[in-house]
Amino acid sequence: MRKHHVRHVQYIFCVSGDFIKVYSTATEECVHILQGHRNLVTGIQLNPNNHLQLYSCSFDGTIKLWDYIDGILIKTFRVGCELHALFTLSCAEDSVFVTINKEKPDVFQLASVKLPKSSSQEIEAKELSFVLDYVNQSPKCIAFGNEGEYVAAVRDFYLSVYFFKKKTTTRFTLSSSRNKKHARNNFTCVACHPKEDCIATGHKDGKIRLWRNFDDEKKYTYTCLHWHHDLVMDLAFSVTGSSLLSGGRESVLVEWREAAEKNKEFLPRLGATIEHISVSPAGDLFCTSHSDNKITIIHRNLEASAVIQGLVKDRSIFTGLMIDPRTKALVLNGKPGHLQFYSLQNDKQLYNLDIIQQEYINDSGLIQIELTKAAFGCSGNWLATVEQRQEKETELELQMKLWMYNKKTQGFVLNTKVNMPHEDHITALCFCNAEKSENSTLVTASKDGHFKVWILTDDSDIYKKAVGWTCDFVGSYHKYQATHCCFSEDGSLLAVSFEEIVTIWDSETWELKCTFCQRAGKIRHLCFGRLTCSKYLLGVSENGILCCWNLLSCALEWSTKLNVRVMEPDPNSENIAAVAQSSVGSDLFVFKPSEPRPLYIQKNICREEVLWGVFVPRDVPESFTSEAYQWLNRSQFYFLTKSQSLLTFSTQSPEEKLTPTSKQLLAEESLPTTPFYFLLGKHRQQQQNDKLNEALENELVQLPLTENIPAVSELLRTPAHVLPSASFLCSLFVNSLLLSKETKGAEENPDDVDMEEEKESDDSDEESNFTEKIQDINNTDLEEDVMHQLSKSEEKELKKFRKVDYSWIAAL
């Protein structure tokens, strides 16, 4: 995840995918999510002429100007080509600098973009003038110095300096010879002194070079600072230029005071590689962002004051995605040897659980102990983890730990440790989580050809009451490797796959009941159906065949060719989500085992491979009526991609999730509304068509009936400088207060919009048309209008009744 951040007064800005997150340095809370770019955001900078505004650029070819205090988009400048980095100068009026891509994929240029003045919200900004050629696309490799007199750019073994007044460029080349002394001279980053002619460059070998007299290619000088043993990741001068900050893989922030070797200060043990360093405009705070998706806020005296921890990016996610039954937190591999508990609602880490309990040594050549498996059981009372280390093929170290939840400490305490529970890698583990099960049961499957059943037993003696886990049964099938295991919903059956064969075992007697054999490759995933579909078992083979077996008839019910990478059952419904890999990306299929026709298909949910998925039960069920949404009623589906991006399906924008419900309008579940759509809209000419009437019927009846109308309170809260004139707002404002005699609740008008339509602009058009209509309603004819619309409303209701599924009545 690429991150840049700058700070003003009490805010930190952080790029996160297509969004810019605004955090408070005091509370560490995310206060706004600036949403509007349609592709990866690649650069952010404060407006040098107005520090209450922020510029951003993106691969979508636009530069946007934001009022970040209120989270409002002010202007969009369409440049038209992919933008890779953004720079601003207070002396360059109405211009910003961007890094763009020339025809060849690896050739980048630094260009100046003139931002034209206009009152419209979207403006073309096609006037580009080139500054430097053959630059690096990383924003860390370009820096402006001495109040904008020159710009320095580094790439490979070259340093280029362009002087704006003289319009000349000087270039310096370091030796790239293969001998040991110069082998790692490559430039990695650059920073310029804010008030003097001094350029600092970082290098692959850990050295920092300070360049002076660089306006002359022959008289230039440089001095070396060397502490880092690996490449310098980023450099930043303090606001006055009195000290230089550097960081790298050692997880130590180094401050070089007066840029001298002897005056070094350190802030060590920051936990992960420092990837970016920035300094607040006032100079009182430093900020580092790290490879584990963390931001550290640091006082001027080098004391860490706050940490904003996102979803930890580990080297690889072995455990998959789990949900802690107690906290409803997402649980997966965190920092090395830990499980992270991550709050999806608040988008921040709750806590880390140290599983391996050993000091981690950051050495790329060292074979580390890996946390490979984890599972929750018994309503979150137990947690099972597996860790392994293998230096040579014959030297496997394996350990299974069982952790018990302690109510007093509100955390997990180690209960049982099993050394070498199997003789080869453990491929799967699962608890029996059936409500009626008397004994707590855990099953492990291994490449050694066995699956083992572990039960909780009473280890009490005269000294203390205690429980522990012991092996109760060992099963195998013709010496094949056991690859997957799972329990049926009621816990009566255990399915274990042995390469291409699926075996079904009775969980009371551990008798083998039946086998399913299909010669389509090893089984990759196994899961039982739930609720009314509990008689079905689903399996996915490596050759891309999805099979559904009927456990009552012991026969194959149906099968289909689908390259499924992730298969997850919803714990609260019969639905199963399968993510299949295609040539262009990943596709989602939602289906019930009882019928092979999918309930919902979404092509290209992302451009990369999806590794894991999980359903998260909702605290309060939704009531979506459209078929495209019904599978999201009881649970929300999250999935993790290869680049460790966590994605989900949502009917709310990230900014709406931050907003308290009191500030939200009673908008339909799927329409992306903003508070002023109800009052202002886009102000087009009135269009008398069916769409307008339908929008009017849907929306008018949902305006709140009593005081505390959110649109009104939002109007009063919004800063005056972004509002239209008072005379323009007055009549609209009064009309928004008018109430109809017969007003229906929001529940009676469920929206029937497909998932695809969320992205369409028709939604906002409907709202705009509705707004225009409201202006024409006078006090006298309001009642007549509402009465006239009721017949149409009834007509629409009748259409909806035809779509409603009443099959649930049969189950009563």
Side-chain angles (χ1 to χ4, degrees):
M1 194 181 288
R2 178 179 287 166
K3 285 199 171 179
H4 320 278
H5 33 76
V6 289
R7 181 184 181 272
H8 174 68
V9 191
Q10 72 268 41
Y11 295 114
I12 273 188
F13 310 104
C14 160
V15 168
S16 179
D18 300 358
F19 308 131
I20 300 137
K21 293 182 178 176
V22 183
Y23 287 96
S24 161
T25 57
T27 64
E28 302 165 39
E29 292 293 320
C30 183
V31 292
H32 283 299
I33 295 177
L34 306 180
Q35 181 184 8
H37 282 293
R38 294 175 181 273
N39 207 330
L40 195 71
V41 179
T42 50
I44 49 173
Q45 294 287 341
L46 283 176
N47 182 351
N49 302 313
N50 182 350
H51 274 200
L52 299 175
Q53 295 176 348
L54 182 79
Y55 280 114
S56 66
C57 76
S58 163
F59 281 161
D60 66 9
T62 65
I63 296 168
K64 291 184 185 286
L65 180 64
W66 307 85
D67 172 348
Y68 62 81
I69 302 288
D70 299 307
I72 295 167
L73 175 62
I74 300 170
K75 267 187 176 54
T76 298
F77 301 94
R78 289 201 307 272
V79 183
C81 52
E82 278 194 1
L83 307 175
H84 293 261
L86 177 72
F87 309 92
T88 55
L89 279 181
S90 53
C91 57
E93 280 197 25
D94 304 328
S95 287
V96 294
F97 295 87
V98 292
T99 305
I100 60 170
N101 195 197
K102 279 179 78 178
E103 291 79 18
K104 292 179 184 175
D106 200 33
V107 178
F108 296 89
Q109 291 180 326
L110 179 69
S112 168
V113 181
K114 186 164 176 58
L115 303 179
K117 287 191 175 177
S118 168
S119 57
S120 59
Q121 275 209 320
E122 202 160 311
I123 314 153
E124 295 273 340
K126 302 283 187 185
E127 200 178 317
L128 271 74
S129 49
F130 295 103
V131 179
L132 270 175
D133 210 346
Y134 197 71
V135 300
N136 195 308
Q137 74 182 94
S138 169
K140 293 189 279 192
C141 294
I142 294 172
F144 290 78
N146 201 351
E147 296 175 352
E149 277 191 20
Y150 59 87
V151 58
V154 296
R155 176 165 177 167
D156 304 330
F157 297 93
Y158 308 97
L159 164 64
S160 309
V161 186
Y162 177 80
F163 296 89
F164 287 99
K165 285 179 183 171
K166 294 189 282 184
K167 295 189 177 174
T168 57
T169 306
T170 53
R171 293 184 189 274
F172 307 96
T173 308
L174 290 178
S175 169
S176 57
S177 61
R178 295 290 176 124
N179 69 42
K180 218 171 184 183
K181 190 177 177 185
H182 304 126
R184 297 167 72 219
N185 269 344
N186 318 55
F187 288 92
T188 56
C189 53
V190 64
C192 295
H193 197 289
K195 294 180 174 131
E196 294 173 13
D197 287 345
C198 174
I199 297 172
T201 58
H203 298 266
K204 200 173 179 180
D205 58 3
K207 285 180 184 168
I208 298 166
R209 288 180 168 87
L210 294 166
W211 304 75
R212 291 182 175 86
N213 302 326
F214 44 80
D215 53 343
D216 191 319
E217 288 184 10
K218 292 176 181 173
K219 293 181 181 175
Y220 77 92
T221 61
Y222 71 74
T223 53
C224 260
L225 306 173
H226 199 180
W227 177 85
H228 297 279
H229 75 79
D230 207 335
L231 61 87
V232 181
M233 293 292 281
D234 203 8
L235 291 167
F237 275 96
S238 63
V239 170
T240 57
S242 60
S243 60
L244 175 69
L245 299 160
S246 67
R249 288 188 179 150
E250 304 84 4
S251 311
V252 177
L253 181 67
V254 185
E255 183 180 11
W256 310 83
R257 295 196 176 146
E258 308 299 330
E261 182 92 43
K262 60 184 179 183
N263 297 337
K264 291 191 296 286
E265 295 289 332
F266 302 99
L267 178 58
R269 292 183 291 280
L270 289 174
T273 298
I274 295 171
E275 291 194 333
H276 299 272
I277 304 170
S278 76
V279 180
S280 68
D284 57 336
L285 288 183
F286 302 142
C287 179
T288 54
S289 85
H290 302 258
S291 58
D292 64 349
N293 203 20
K294 172 180 69 188
I295 294 172
T296 309
I297 300 159
I298 300 158
H299 281 302
R300 186 69 188 80
N301 59 0
L302 286 195
E303 276 184 19
S305 70
V307 172
I308 299 166
Q309 176 69 69
L311 192 68
V312 174
K313 290 183 75 172
D314 194 33
R315 291 151 301 160
S316 47
I317 305 297
F318 296 112
T319 61
L321 305 180
M322 299 166 288
I323 298 299
D324 175 18
R326 288 179 180 276
T327 59
K328 299 293 183 287
L330 184 72
V331 182
L332 64 160
N333 285 103
K335 57 185 188 178
H338 291 67
L339 277 179
Q340 60 174 317
F341 288 68
Y342 187 79
S343 168
L344 295 164
Q345 289 76 22
N346 302 322
D347 191 22
K348 65 180 183 184
Q349 192 182 93
L350 295 179
Y351 62 95
N352 261 307
L353 179 61
D354 189 354
I355 302 294
I356 290 176
Q357 298 182 333
Q358 278 189 18
E359 191 66 38
Y360 179 77
I361 300 163
N362 191 358
D363 187 348
S364 56
L366 196 66
I367 306 294
Q368 309 282 355
I369 301 174
E370 298 284 4
L371 173 59
T372 56
K373 300 283 176 209
F376 286 95
C378 315
S379 305
N381 289 327
W382 288 96
L383 168 67
T385 59
V386 175
E387 56 202 63
Q388 67 177 43
R389 182 176 180 274
Q390 188 165 23
E391 198 147 355
K392 293 176 186 169
E393 207 170 309
T394 54
E395 295 178 8
L396 175 68
E397 298 168 34
L398 205 59
Q399 201 167 62
M400 182 168 77
K401 290 175 181 173
L402 286 127
W403 308 76
M404 187 180 188
Y405 184 78
N406 187 311
K407 287 181 181 174
K408 286 182 183 174
T409 60
Q410 296 284 296
F412 286 95
V413 180
L414 184 60
N415 173 272
T416 305
K417 190 192 292 185
V418 184
N419 277 316
M420 293 306 291
H422 286 271
E423 290 171 21
D424 206 340
H425 296 268
I426 290 177
T427 54
L429 75 164
C430 65
F431 279 93
C432 177
N433 286 324
E435 290 178 14
K436 294 175 184 175
S437 62
E438 295 170 13
N439 298 329
S440 299
T441 308
L442 170 72
V443 172
T444 55
S446 168
K447 284 184 178 178
D448 65 5
H450 296 102
F451 72 89
K452 291 186 178 181
V453 180
W454 308 80
I455 59 167
L456 190 60
T457 55
D458 192 344
D459 284 348
S460 302
D461 54 24
I462 57 169
Y463 300 106
K464 62 175 182 177
K465 280 193 170 184
V467 290
W469 291 80
T470 55
C471 183
D472 183 55
F473 177 77
V474 181
S476 63
Y477 188 83
H478 297 298
K479 296 186 180 177
Y480 290 130
Q481 291 184 351
T483 49
H484 286 277
C485 59
C486 63
F487 278 98
S488 61
E489 190 177 19
D490 63 359
S492 61
L493 297 176
L494 170 71
V496 183
S497 62
F498 290 89
E499 299 181 25
E500 295 180 352
I501 295 158
V502 179
T503 59
I504 309 294
W505 306 74
D506 186 324
S507 64
E508 285 202 5
T509 59
W510 300 116
E511 279 182 51
L512 178 60
K513 285 294 183 186
C514 70
T515 60
F516 299 118
C517 182
Q518 46 81 43
R519 299 292 175 190
K522 288 184 182 179
I523 297 291
R524 188 189 274 166
H525 299 290
L526 265 187
C527 79
F528 279 93
R530 294 177 186 252
L531 304 175
T532 62
C533 294
S534 57
K535 64 181 178 182
Y536 298 106
L537 174 68
L538 291 146
V540 176
S541 72
E542 284 185 348
N543 293 1
I545 305 291
L546 171 61
C547 300
C548 178
W549 293 284
N550 188 323
L551 297 167
L552 299 180
S553 62
C554 291
L556 182 68
E557 188 86 0
W558 55 265
S559 68
T560 183
K561 187 152 182 62
L562 201 61
N563 186 19
V564 176
R565 293 303 171 96
V566 170
M567 186 167 67
E568 280 294 318
D570 179 1
N572 290 342
S573 74
E574 292 92 348
N575 299 331
I576 289 176
V579 181
Q581 185 75 13
S582 69
S583 55
V584 290
S586 295
D587 305 329
L588 174 75
F589 298 86
V590 181
F591 63 94
K592 291 182 181 178
S594 54
E595 48 182 300
R597 184 186 69 87
L599 300 167
Y600 177 72
I601 299 173
Q602 172 103 358
K603 295 282 186 180
N604 286 336
I605 51 171
C606 67
R607 291 182 288 272
E608 54 181 324
E609 189 181 341
V610 174
L611 298 183
W612 304 101
V614 69
F615 274 100
V616 182
R618 294 188 190 274
D619 293 333
V620 180
E622 297 283 359
S623 54
F624 303 129
T625 53
S626 77
E627 201 171 300
Y629 276 126
Q630 279 178 354
W631 67 282
L632 289 169
N633 272 342
R634 297 180 188 173
S635 304
Q636 197 169 348
F637 185 59
Y638 287 81
F639 55 97
L640 191 78
T641 66
K642 200 168 187 177
S643 65
Q644 294 187 8
S645 296
L646 184 68
L647 306 172
T648 188
F649 290 89
S650 177
T651 53
Q652 279 186 311
S653 72
E655 177 72 11
E656 281 176 319
K657 285 182 182 175
L658 294 175
T659 315
T661 50
S662 60
K663 287 175 72 179
Q664 289 183 19
L665 288 162
L666 294 177
E668 280 289 23
E669 61 207 17
S670 61
L671 296 176
T673 54
T674 59
F676 288 103
Y677 271 135
F678 282 89
L679 293 176
L680 300 173
K682 288 184 184 171
H683 229 55
R684 290 207 212 108
Q685 287 185 351
Q686 185 176 347
Q687 295 170 347
Q688 293 292 347
N689 56 24
D690 293 341
K691 223 173 199 182
L692 180 142
N693 287 334
E694 281 186 23
L696 188 58
E697 289 158 21
N698 280 346
E699 306 288 60
L700 180 63
V701 294
Q702 286 176 53
L703 287 174
L705 294 174
T706 54
E707 65 273 29
N708 301 326
I709 295 176
V712 177
S713 56
E714 194 68 29
L715 177 65
L716 299 174
R717 273 197 202 95
T718 306
H721 67 277
V722 294
L723 280 176
S725 67
S727 59
F728 179 71
L729 276 175
C730 185
S731 60
L732 303 177
F733 176 72
V734 170
N735 278 324
S736 74
L737 302 175
L738 296 175
L739 303 175
S740 62
K741 282 189 177 177
E742 294 186 36
T743 309
K744 298 182 184 179
E747 299 85 23
E748 292 179 49
N749 281 287
D751 201 349
D752 205 17
V753 182
D754 281 345
M755 185 77 84
E756 312 280 352
E757 290 181 31
E758 255 189 292
K759 296 164 188 165
E760 301 292 335
S761 60
D762 295 15
D763 297 343
S764 54
D765 291 348
E766 286 185 15
E767 289 170 4
S768 311
N769 296 337
F770 154 64
T771 311
E772 292 146 18
K773 185 78 174 173
I774 273 195
Q775 296 167 44
D776 302 326
I777 298 174
N778 296 322
N779 294 3
T780 52
D781 62 7
L782 178 71
E783 190 174 322
E784 286 173 32
D785 265 27
V786 174
M787 291 305 289
H788 169 69
Q789 290 148 19
L790 279 174
S791 60
K792 288 217 171 224
S793 164
E794 286 164 358
E795 204 174 298
K796 190 154 185 279
E797 284 298 312
L798 284 171
K799 283 181 189 173
K800 283 180 182 169
F801 279 122
R802 287 178 212 147
K803 296 180 188 175
V804 176
D805 181 9
Y806 291 102
S807 58
W808 57 272
I809 295 173
L812 293 176

